[in-house]
Amino acid sequence: MAEQTNVSKEDGSFMIKVATFIVDRRNLFFLLFGIAIIFSVVSMNWVSVENSMSAYLPDTTETSQGLDLMEEQFITYGTAKIMVTNIPYDEAENIADTLENLDTVIMLTFDNSEEHYNNFSALYDVTFGYSETDDRALEALADIEEMLSDYDIYVSTSMGDASAEQIASEMQVISVLVAIVVVTVLLFTSQTWAEVPVLLLTFIAAALITKGTNFIMGTISFVSNSVTIVLQLALSIDYAVIFCNRYKEEHQKLSIREADIVALSKAIPEISSSSLTTIGGLIAMMFMQFGIGRDMALCLIRAILLSLLAVFLLMPGLIMLFGNAMDKTYHKSFIPKIPFVGKFAYATRFIMPPLFLVLIVGAYIISSKCPYVYGYSMLETPVKSDAMIVDEMIEESFGTSNMVALVVPAGNYDKEKALLKEIDARPEVDYSMGLANTEAMDGYMLTDKLTARDFSELLELDYEVAELLYMTYAVNDENYAKIVNGLSTYSIPLIDIIMFLYDEVQEGYVTLEDDLMDTLEDAHSQMQIALDQLQGEEYSRMLVYLTLPEEGDETFAFLDEMHTIANKYYEDATILIPGEATSQYDLYKTFQTDNTVVNVVSILAVLVVLLFTFMSAGMPVLLILIIQGAIWVNFSFPAIQQKNLFFMSYLIVSSIQMGANIDYAIVISGRFMELKNQMPKRDAIIETMNFAFPTIVTSGSMLALAGIFIGKMSSDGAICGIGQCLGRGTIISIIIVMFVLPQILLLGEKIIDRTSFAVSIPLKLEKTSGLMRVDGLVQGQINGTVIGEMHGFVRGDANLFVNMGKLEQREDDGEDLEELLQKEKEEDKK
């Protein structure tokens, strides 16, 4: 109880009351955070992760509509490409026979062409009798791998989550390395050893709760799942460091509890304001048409808000626990003063701004030519996944394949045949596969029409039985004219009559000899597989293998041309061409809009925050120009290197760079504007850079190294690009705010002052002498003895402007000021 009397209650400010409640109820918050952490450890396994980029395309895109329709209309069987190396052709044939006889394999493609046997390597295209999402397909593939374990085999498949598992494994290693970096940086930048566990415990609690609350979103993208925690650390560690520095500053003159309360009351508005620029940049990502932007923005914003809660509610209690240890473990700061930076800034204040202007104009022009790509096929990553290595080996021996599906209304085999014939004639097409051009039996295609006599000869079926079958089919089809006019010219597509005959046999209406029944069952089995994959109730699907790369202007143009060709046969009908190439074409089209929207919204969001932070129109423009210039310089590097960059990396990193890196500029600008009227400009900028350097080096080094680790150690093209650009962009931002921003502030401070819209409140000059009670924010001169913090007693002469609060003259009985202050505290307590 004695401890609680140390903070005077005459300070009735709201923030002091809030801070006092948090500090004094710390055990309650320890309990709440403990419960939340235990719950999060359990709930972090509830979230599902979406590994497909195309799942986040807008519903209006062709890929999204096509995938939905194909899932509804067709069965996509599990498939795998299996390459066996260092074997002669005879042995490769034996393996093919063995695979084909497996009950789990319903289709196997292998021959002596270069597409399947080359350089003593065999490539088998295997189709399993289960859908690609069925675990039994993976089990069947595992059985084949075990069966061929004595050979050198390489398996490529879209089934399973092997890539996701490898990404998760990589991110675990990256997280450990980032944690080591964080501890190292905190030890290097700390002033007391015991503050490091306070900072780490605060972040670990926020990170665990963030991961544990992902289930609220139901499903998150693999990108968000991989990088959110690492970015949360880099983005939000500032908040804990700011609060810790505030506490150490207040603790120089106050006890642990008092310093904790006062520091928290000041840190809450300060840190909340700082976080708004980061959140503003992230909000811009929510306006992207490409859904991963919204997904990642929501994950990161939630992570930042939870970090704020950990700093405001948990960290004050941790400071109380570690306060004595912090007092005992003070050490000399390892961060040097950097007066040379301020001196350089003052000496080059007329040189650097125009040079920077030239730089950003050039960077804007160069960065606009950045080679963006929309798929993984043209990306290079420092680390290659097992799947990437296998795909490269297969491509080296057998080339690449680029397949798209052409989905058209079902019911007209003649149109399908004509369409496939025209498509196949194009040089951009290697080959196509549909019901109309797939061979069934003895040279007949699946949809070729046969008369009763043709059918009887094909199956060696009695003509009378075939004729009766055709008659029954006509009745079932309500095609009575054929019965009246004779069946000799009546022709039926082969696939339809085979399926009809099989149904009749199953119903017991037709009986066939054993040999014929075996032939029918084989034919029915293969045709049913073809129907499952290529014909639905309302739509037919054709597979078109292109000779073009998965993306590029030529590929995108031919996709449009395929629509034109198909429209000749199916006017005013829904025609869709889903596939990897179409997905990248859709991403290309969304990027054209998202690029503009993200840039504009992120700038506007940060601009609004800065306007109210600095109460000046000039300052936000200067700061945004600085960071936007850094963004342009950042994305000039891939343009100069002609290194392909995944488009999403640009959208995400530009938002984060605008929202997070601008904090460095705010620290410098705010300090300089505070000091410029108190000392010469040269001294003000030197002092500003000395003050800002520890904050910038702490936060900046963490974010930069986190990005570098992600960029160097991830095998996923999107995640790797985010890391590379974020690491490079943070370093560029640090260099520019350290060596360009000071000069711009020195030149532009008059513009900032003239564009200020802060409301000037008339101040009342109070002149008095003797004993007085001072409450509020005052500015002026006091000649005498002072005791009290912001509120207290003065004995002497005072000339004060009262900004807020009041100044009261008191009757002076010569009482000691300290006793007088203590007496008033006790009265307030009563």
Side-chain angles (χ1 to χ4, degrees):
M1 293 298 293
E3 184 186 31
Q4 293 184 14
T5 63
N6 292 334
V7 175
S8 64
K9 288 192 175 181
E10 74 271 5
D11 189 341
S13 78
F14 176 73
M15 291 314 305
I16 285 288
K17 291 180 179 178
V18 170
T20 302
F21 176 82
I22 293 172
V23 172
D24 290 344
R25 301 293 185 273
R26 55 189 176 275
N27 289 334
L28 170 63
F29 291 110
F30 286 157
L31 176 63
L32 292 176
F33 271 87
I35 293 171
I37 289 170
I38 293 172
F39 173 80
S40 296
V41 171
V42 176
S43 65
M44 64 177 59
N45 297 315
W46 297 351
V47 68
S48 59
V49 179
E50 176 57 65
N51 296 308
S52 173
M53 285 281 188
S54 58
Y56 289 93
L57 282 165
D59 293 338
T60 55
T61 59
E62 184 172 5
T63 299
S64 182
Q65 292 177 0
L67 291 175
D68 289 344
L69 190 147
M70 288 197 301
E71 185 176 355
E72 173 191 332
Q73 295 278 320
F74 312 106
I75 296 175
T76 300
Y77 288 102
T79 60
K81 288 181 180 292
I82 301 175
M83 183 173 75
V84 182
T85 61
N86 302 317
I87 57 171
Y89 181 74
D90 291 343
E91 192 169 356
E93 271 193 320
N94 293 334
I95 292 175
D97 293 339
T98 302
L99 294 178
E100 199 167 17
N101 291 328
L102 293 175
D103 294 338
T104 55
V105 174
I106 58 173
M107 188 182 301
L108 183 132
T109 305
F110 175 78
D111 54 39
N112 62 356
S113 67
E114 289 188 358
E115 284 79 11
H116 291 281
Y117 187 81
N118 190 28
N119 295 328
F120 293 98
S121 296
L123 180 65
Y124 306 98
D125 289 320
V126 181
T127 302
F128 299 100
Y130 314 102
S131 71
E132 62 180 355
T133 57
D134 193 326
D135 290 339
R136 290 178 295 177
L138 280 173
E139 293 171 4
L141 178 58
D143 291 340
I144 291 177
E145 290 179 292
E146 177 65 26
M147 185 177 67
L148 301 177
S149 59
D150 292 337
Y151 296 93
D152 295 327
I153 65 168
Y154 302 91
V155 179
S156 174
T157 181
S158 59
M159 299 187 300
D161 294 322
S163 296
E165 292 170 2
Q166 179 153 351
I167 292 172
S169 175
E170 291 168 354
M171 293 309 301
Q172 288 176 358
V173 175
I174 292 170
S175 298
V176 171
L177 291 174
V178 170
I180 294 172
V181 167
V182 168
V183 174
T184 304
V185 171
L186 290 179
L187 288 172
F188 178 76
T189 58
S190 67
Q191 293 176 315
T192 168
W193 301 121
E195 74 185 60
V196 176
V198 172
L199 297 172
L200 290 178
L201 287 172
T202 301
F203 172 74
I204 290 170
L208 287 174
I209 296 173
T210 297
K211 202 162 181 64
T213 54
N214 280 336
F215 77 93
I216 295 172
M217 297 180 64
T219 301
I220 63 174
S221 71
F222 71 96
V223 179
S224 300
N225 188 56
S226 300
V227 303
T228 295
I229 299 300
V230 176
L231 291 183
Q232 179 186 13
L233 169 61
L235 291 173
S236 62
I237 197 69
D238 275 359
Y239 312 146
V241 171
I242 289 172
F243 178 34
C244 189
N245 289 340
R246 273 288 184 190
Y247 164 76
K248 288 182 290 186
E249 183 180 340
E250 298 296 337
H251 188 41
Q252 292 176 4
K253 54 185 182 294
L254 298 173
S255 66
I256 292 175
R257 178 178 174 274
E258 287 178 315
D260 201 2
I261 292 172
V262 173
L264 181 59
S265 69
K266 295 178 179 179
I268 289 176
E270 181 181 353
I271 294 172
S272 298
S273 175
S274 174
S275 68
L276 287 177
T277 55
T278 304
I279 292 174
L282 295 173
I283 285 174
M285 291 163 56
M286 296 180 66
F287 288 84
M288 290 169 54
Q289 296 181 74
F290 188 40
I292 280 186
R294 181 177 181 274
D295 179 86
M296 196 166 180
L298 289 175
C299 285
L300 283 172
I301 290 173
R302 176 164 43 83
I304 288 172
L305 293 177
L306 289 171
S307 296
L308 290 175
L309 286 178
V311 170
F312 295 156
L313 302 180
L314 177 63
M315 189 172 169
L318 294 174
I319 287 177
M320 292 297 295
L321 282 181
F322 287 85
N324 290 327
M326 290 171 68
D327 290 343
K328 296 175 183 177
T329 57
Y330 265 98
H331 61 81
K332 183 180 179 181
S333 175
F334 300 117
I335 301 180
K337 297 290 185 181
I338 52 168
F340 66 92
V341 175
K343 293 176 182 177
F344 172 79
Y346 192 79
T348 59
R349 63 190 184 280
F350 298 112
I351 300 173
M352 294 303 293
L355 287 179
F356 178 67
L357 185 62
V358 172
L359 173 67
I360 63 173
V361 170
Y364 169 75
I365 295 172
I366 295 172
S367 64
S368 65
K369 299 177 181 177
C370 187
Y372 297 112
V373 295
Y374 308 91
Y376 285 4
S377 61
M378 299 174 68
L379 288 176
E380 294 182 4
T381 57
V383 176
K384 293 181 180 179
S385 66
D386 295 340
M388 293 168 65
I389 294 172
V390 169
D391 288 341
E392 286 182 4
M393 292 186 67
I394 292 176
E395 289 174 9
E396 185 178 343
S397 295
F398 300 101
T400 61
S401 63
N402 177 18
M403 186 269 289
V404 295
L406 176 57
V407 181
V408 298
N412 193 320
Y413 293 142
D414 292 334
K415 286 185 178 180
E416 290 181 28
K417 184 175 182 178
L419 173 57
L420 286 170
K421 184 177 180 181
E422 184 169 352
I423 290 287
D424 271 334
R426 296 298 302 259
E428 297 90 348
V429 175
D430 185 11
Y431 66 96
S432 66
M433 184 173 69
L435 291 178
N437 66 353
T438 297
E439 185 175 348
M441 303 169 67
D442 291 353
Y444 285 108
M445 301 298 161
L446 286 171
T447 61
D448 283 352
K449 292 182 177 181
L450 280 69
T451 63
R453 185 166 296 283
D454 295 332
F455 186 66
S456 69
E457 293 173 356
L458 177 65
L459 288 190
E460 298 181 359
L461 183 69
D462 288 342
Y463 176 70
E464 290 77 11
V465 174
E467 195 173 37
L468 181 61
L469 178 68
Y470 268 58
M471 183 181 298
T472 306
Y473 184 94
V475 171
N476 189 67
D477 198 37
E478 297 183 356
N479 198 344
Y480 304 112
K482 294 295 182 181
I483 301 175
V484 175
N485 297 327
L487 293 172
S488 60
T489 60
Y490 183 32
S491 59
I492 302 172
L494 175 59
I495 191 169
D496 292 347
I497 194 62
I498 287 286
M499 302 304 287
F500 182 73
L501 174 58
Y502 183 83
D503 290 341
E504 294 295 294
V505 171
Q506 294 298 308
E507 293 290 337
Y509 299 128
V510 177
T511 302
L512 301 177
E513 295 179 359
D514 290 345
D515 291 344
L516 188 55
M517 190 63 202
D518 290 340
T519 302
L520 178 62
E521 286 183 342
D522 288 341
H524 172 268
S525 176
Q526 295 301 314
M527 291 181 183
Q528 186 61 56
I529 293 170
L531 284 173
D532 289 342
Q533 297 185 90
L534 300 176
Q535 183 170 287
E537 292 184 4
E538 299 172 340
Y539 289 90
S540 289
R541 175 167 64 175
M542 309 168 207
L543 306 181
V544 182
Y545 292 82
L546 306 178
T547 59
L548 302 170
E550 287 186 352
E551 65 176 284
D553 293 341
E554 189 179 2
T555 303
F556 298 159
F558 184 67
L559 291 175
D560 289 335
E561 197 162 347
M562 283 181 66
H563 274 285
T564 302
I565 294 171
N567 281 328
K568 292 193 301 184
Y569 300 93
Y570 301 92
E571 294 182 5
D572 301 323
T574 298
I575 297 170
L576 299 169
I577 311 177
E580 190 61 38
T582 305
S583 174
Q584 293 173 30
Y585 191 18
D586 287 334
L587 291 172
Y588 164 78
K589 288 185 281 191
T590 63
F591 176 65
Q592 308 310 306
T593 302
D594 286 346
N595 187 18
T596 303
V597 170
V598 167
N599 285 332
V600 171
V601 174
S602 63
I603 289 173
L604 288 178
V606 172
L607 179 65
V608 170
V609 174
L610 294 180
L611 280 173
F612 288 98
T613 299
F614 290 101
M615 293 296 180
S616 167
M619 180 67 85
V621 173
L622 290 178
L623 297 189
I624 287 175
L625 181 65
I626 287 288
I627 301 302
Q628 186 60 57
I631 292 172
W632 288 332
V633 172
N634 185 14
F635 290 97
S636 295
F637 278 79
I640 293 170
Q641 298 168 342
Q642 281 302 295
K643 183 179 179 182
N644 292 334
L645 178 67
F646 194 58
F647 80 104
M648 189 180 70
S649 302
Y650 167 77
L651 293 174
I652 290 174
V653 172
S654 61
S655 297
I656 294 175
Q657 195 173 349
M658 176 58 73
N661 292 173
I662 204 165
D663 282 348
Y664 311 149
I666 291 173
V667 171
I668 293 174
S669 303
R671 189 68 169 182
F672 175 73
M673 297 305 291
E674 180 183 335
L675 296 177
K676 71 183 182 69
N677 294 324
Q678 301 176 16
M679 58 184 72
K681 301 293 189 297
R682 183 176 183 275
D683 296 339
I685 202 65
I686 292 173
E687 178 61 29
T688 294
M689 299 313 296
N690 284 334
F691 168 81
F693 182 63
T695 301
I696 294 174
V697 75
T698 302
S699 173
S701 60
M702 290 181 188
L703 187 57
L705 288 171
I708 289 170
F709 283 138
I710 293 172
K712 290 291 185 183
M713 301 180 66
S714 177
S715 60
D716 182 85
I719 297 173
C720 174
I722 291 172
Q724 290 174 342
C725 295
L726 186 61
R728 182 178 61 237
T730 301
I731 293 172
I732 292 169
S733 295
I734 292 173
I735 293 172
I736 289 178
V737 299
M738 292 288 292
F739 295 99
V740 178
L741 176 60
Q743 292 88 327
I744 291 178
L745 290 174
L746 286 166
L747 275 189
E749 51 106 2
K750 291 183 179 179
I751 297 175
I752 296 169
D753 289 338
R754 289 174 182 173
T755 56
S756 173
F757 52 83
V759 178
S760 298
I761 301 174
L763 303 179
K764 179 183 177 182
L765 178 63
E766 302 276 359
K767 292 185 177 182
T768 186
S769 61
L771 179 65
M772 64 207 79
R773 180 75 162 88
V774 181
D775 280 284
L777 179 62
V778 298
Q779 180 179 352
Q781 297 177 336
I782 295 176
N783 181 21
T785 305
V786 179
I787 186 167
E789 201 173 335
M790 294 182 65
H791 307 269
F793 290 94
V794 175
R795 178 179 280 129
D797 300 321
N799 297 317
L800 300 174
F801 285 104
V802 181
N803 292 341
M804 291 188 297
K806 60 184 178 179
L807 185 152
E808 295 178 346
Q809 188 76 30
R810 293 289 185 92
E811 191 172 317
D812 193 353
D813 296 330
E815 192 173 0
D816 182 77
L817 290 183
E818 189 170 351
E819 293 179 1
L820 187 63
L821 183 61
Q822 186 63 33
K823 185 187 297 183
E824 184 158 313
K825 287 181 179 179
E826 292 174 356
E827 290 176 358
D828 288 341
K829 185 178 179 183
K830 294 176 182 178

